[in-house]
Amino acid sequence: MEQKTELPEELYADEAVCFIADRYSVTPQQLLHYFLSGKTSTEVLKLPVQTTIPLKSNEIEILKGLYEAVKD
C-alpha cells in the first residue's frame, strides 16, 4: 500500500524546487512525488507523458535537504 505524504505548501513554492521542476518541465508536486517515491539517482523517472528524466546528484541532495528541513 502506497503511503501518501502531505507536504507543506511552502515546499512546493520553494525557489529551488520550482527551478528543478521547471528544468524538467514538470510541476513541483510531480517532482516531489517522484522524489519521495524513491525514483531518483540512477533510476529514470517516468512521467505521465512518457518522458524520462534523471535527477542529477546535486538536485537530489538539494531536495533531500529541503525535505529533511520540513519533515522535522
Side-chain angles (χ1 to χ4, degrees):
M1 187 169 161
E2 188 174 317
Q3 182 179 3
K4 186 170 181 156
T5 304
E6 291 294 323
L7 296 173
E9 283 297 316
E10 62 263 16
L11 187 58
Y12 295 125
D14 184 86
E15 188 176 336
V17 172
C18 292
F19 178 80
I20 295 169
D22 189 53
R23 277 191 63 170
Y24 297 108
S25 300
V26 296
T27 66
Q29 290 83 355
Q30 288 172 316
L31 175 68
L32 292 170
H33 167 76
Y34 291 118
F35 171 72
L36 291 174
S37 67
K39 297 176 182 174
T40 59
S41 191
T42 58
E43 293 183 45
V44 175
L45 303 179
K46 294 182 180 173
L47 303 177
V49 293
Q50 300 302 315
T51 306
T52 59
I53 58 168
L55 289 176
K56 298 184 184 312
S57 61
N58 65 324
E59 294 168 335
I60 293 169
E61 291 304 314
I62 290 168
L63 293 174
K64 278 183 186 176
L66 290 170
Y67 178 68
E68 290 299 319
V70 299
K71 190 172 83 168
D72 294 334

